[in-house]
Structures are given as C-alpha cells and as structure tokens.
Amino acid sequence: MYKHHSEIGRFAPSPSGQLHIGNLASCLLAWLDARSAGGKLIFRMEDLDPERSRKDSEGSIVRTLKALGLGWDEGYPDAGYSQSERREKYDEAFELLLRRDLLYPCYCSRSERLAASAPHPGEKRNDPGCKCRHLSALQRRELDKSGRKAAWKIKVPDKTVRFLDGHYGEFSENLADSGDFIIKRSDGVYAYQLAVSFDDMDMGITRVVRGRDLLTSTAKQIWLIQTLGGDVPQYYHAPLIVGADGRKLSKRYGDLSAEALLCEHSPEELIGQLAGLLGISGGKPESASELLEHFDWANVKKNDIMM
Ligand code: GLU
C-alpha cells in the first residue's frame, strides 16, 4: 500500500572523501530526526564540484551508512539524485532569476572577492563590496571582450530573514550584511547555495538536519527558496565535532574516517560512541534503531564537541 509521508528529510553528503565522524553525526541525526517524525529519507549525492568529487568516496559513504544501519527510502544511486545530473534543473532556476533581473555578472578574481566579503558572519561589511553590480552594459561588454570570465551573483535585498532553528532557536540575519553571493561560478559550475536550495525545494524536503557550520548559509537559502516560489523546510542544526585544537574536522585531512573506525569498532560501538558524544545516550553500544527509541532533540548538545 502506498505510504504517505508528510515529513521528508535528507542525507546530503559531498563525496570529497570518506565520511568523518562529524559528517556521520549529521547523518545519524538526520536519520533519527526523519525516522522519529515518521518521515521519509532521501539520499542526495552533492557531487556538484567536479574538482572535489570522487567516485570512490561515493562508494565509501554508501558502505558506511549501510554498515551502520542508516538506510534511506529514495535517492542515490537512482537517476536524478546526484547534483552532477541536475544541471538542467539548475539552469531553469538560473533563467528564472535572470528574467527577474536578480542576477549580474561579476568579473572579480577570487582574491578580490575574498577581500570584498564581510569579515565574519553577522558583522556589518566594512568595505563597499564588489562594484560589478553597478557596471554599465558597455563596461560589461568590454570586460567580456577582454576575455575575463564572469561568475554570476545574485542581488540580495536589504531584508532581514528570521527563522526558528529546531535546535538553536531564533535567528535573524540581514541579507545585505554579507552581501550579494555567487549563484554560478566563472567555470560554469553552479554554486552550493543555489543547488542546495533548489534541491531541497524540488525534492519537497521538509526537515533539513546538518552541521552548525551551515547556519550562516540558512538565511540565504530561505530567501532563495522563497524567491523561487518554494516551501521553506524546518532547519535543525547540529553541534560540530572539532579536533582537540578546536579545528573543524575535514574529510580533506582524512580526519577520523568512519570507515577506518569501523575496522576497529562494531557498528553498535561506533553508533554508541557517537550518540554519547552528541549527548543522546550514555555511550553504550547500541544499534541505530535502538537509539531511535529514546531519541530526543532536547538532549542533543549545543556547544561544539571536542574529540
Ligand atoms: N553537502 C554538504 C556537506 O557535505 C551539506 C549540505 C547541506 O546539508 O546543506 O557539507
């Protein structure tokens, strides 16, 4: 019988390496959250950036999630669930934004762009930012002729976006504080903000669970989804697991890969340890489904968790 799910969550890993313990924490919480809400889980492979995505990482991510009993209902490896295959859909969103006069080409180099971005999330920008928004048609033609490759930026309004994070509570951010952002890179690859917002909307995602490092992207994504005419999901951000030096863990540094940990520990031991770190259990070995029986967001820690 067709089972109707009103809640839809997602796994959205980037295959730039094996899952590390921090990525795994996000996947575990996304799974627990969707399952405890009686929802469905979609697996989307975020292989948007061809330079950083690797097929062997995709295999490793799938093996890890399966070994840990974190199953999904729909998605990868079926057609249409990898971002690299969804370019035509992003083209449509891009065209829509272009027609609404929300996009402009930005000719700045990467270093110029970094210099023009706000120093820290939430801080007011202390420089005039990129000037490309105000170039004339003639100036744009000349730059195009000179061979400068443009990225595409979106014009953000002076507007405060408010949202209630399911775990961290109320947030508000004025979009103009961090300024216009890139929608399509100068090499033609769509930017994370566009792809993830569009996909969450297009796949009907109602609950987004992910690491707290992405809280600073949330206001942009909410506004993009509203601008594209979609329904905004409920966001739940999770504490980050950081190295002993306070540095965010990264796949690129080969930090605490889940596959390596699974060579030394049983899936139940790994789930138990992770749950203990997150504050949702005392840390004793248990399976994901056992953990589900007593999962409660109220117990999830809020501060970064030091390994
Ligand atoms: N693909 C992103 C990552 O692995 C997550 C994107 C998201 O959850 O919004 O960091």
Side-chain angles (χ1 to χ4, degrees):
M1 206 180 85
Y2 178 73
K3 194 169 167 202
H4 179 72
H5 296 280
S6 52
E7 298 286 348
I8 307 180
R10 41 83 149 180
F11 288 144
S14 301
S16 54
Q18 300 183 1
L19 291 181
H20 61 60
I21 193 96
N23 305 132
L24 200 55
S26 300
C27 289
L28 176 62
L29 286 171
W31 186 89
L32 290 167
D33 175 74
R35 294 293 179 239
S36 61
K40 163 167 108 172
L41 203 56
I42 290 183
F43 185 145
R44 177 168 82 231
M45 191 60 88
E46 300 217 320
D47 58 347
L48 193 63
D49 187 345
E51 278 160 32
R52 290 178 48 194
S53 303
R54 294 165 30 189
K55 277 283 163 205
D56 58 335
S57 303
E58 297 187 8
S60 164
I61 291 170
V62 167
R63 276 196 302 277
T64 302
L65 294 175
K66 286 194 171 158
L68 291 171
L70 303 177
W72 55 97
D73 307 295
E74 186 185 311
Y76 184 87
D78 289 349
Y81 292 94
S82 291
Q83 289 187 326
S84 59
E85 299 168 5
R86 297 175 57 80
R87 209 188 142 84
E88 283 172 16
K89 292 198 170 241
Y90 308 142
D91 285 341
E92 280 173 34
F94 182 88
E95 287 304 319
L96 190 139
L97 297 171
L98 196 63
R99 277 200 303 277
R100 303 208 358 219
D101 194 26
L102 283 169
L103 302 181
Y104 63 89
C106 166
Y107 297 88
C108 295
S109 65
R110 191 177 143 74
S111 52
E112 285 165 332
R113 242 178 238 134
L114 288 176
S117 62
H120 292 290
E123 279 181 27
K124 289 269 177 215
R125 52 193 313 141
N126 56 6
D127 60 62
C130 157
K131 297 190 180 63
C132 297
R133 181 166 173 170
H134 305 292
L135 294 175
S136 66
L138 182 66
Q139 286 170 315
R140 285 186 183 144
R141 265 203 305 279
E142 308 236 294
L143 282 157
D144 283 335
K145 259 198 276 171
S146 77
R148 284 279 280 252
K149 279 232 160 48
W152 287 86
K153 273 191 173 174
I154 189 156
K155 300 176 192 170
V156 300
D158 183 3
K159 174 187 162 148
T160 299
V161 174
R162 290 174 214 287
F163 62 97
L164 192 66
D165 182 81
H167 190 46
Y168 288 99
E170 269 178 43
F171 276 87
S172 72
E173 189 188 324
N174 190 307
L175 294 166
D177 286 352
S178 52
D180 298 346
F181 58 93
I182 294 182
I183 287 291
K184 197 198 235 184
R185 299 188 332 202
S186 58
D187 60 2
V189 174
Y190 281 105
Y192 159 74
Q193 303 294 7
L194 179 83
V196 91
S197 309
F198 180 82
D199 286 344
D200 284 338
M201 171 185 126
D202 189 55
M203 294 177 179
I205 303 297
T206 64
R207 314 169 74 90
V208 168
V209 178
R210 59 186 182 187
R212 199 166 62 94
D213 50 330
L214 293 169
L215 247 175
T216 50
S217 289
T218 306
K220 293 182 180 67
Q221 294 174 11
I222 289 175
W223 174 68
L224 261 180
I225 292 174
Q226 287 169 338
T227 305
L228 291 167
D231 292 328
V232 175
Q234 169 68 54
Y235 292 89
Y236 285 83
H237 287 84
L240 295 183
I241 299 185
V242 296
D245 51 3
R247 175 175 63 84
K248 185 182 164 250
L249 298 180
S250 161
K251 291 196 200 94
R252 272 169 289 170
Y253 298 112
D255 275 332
L256 299 170
S257 115
E259 261 202 310
L261 290 168
L262 276 171
C263 294
E264 291 163 31
H265 303 277
S266 69
E268 290 76 16
E269 281 168 352
L270 187 51
I271 296 263
Q273 283 175 16
L274 199 53
L277 283 174
L278 288 167
I280 49 182
S281 85
K284 70 169 179 19
E286 61 187 329
S287 67
S289 9
E290 282 164 337
L291 188 55
L292 181 60
E293 287 167 28
H294 55 96
F295 171 66
D296 187 347
W297 268 107
N299 297 328
V300 178
K301 287 187 186 152
K302 291 211 163 72
N303 291 334
D304 286 353
I305 298 160
M306 196 114 38
M307 281 295 290

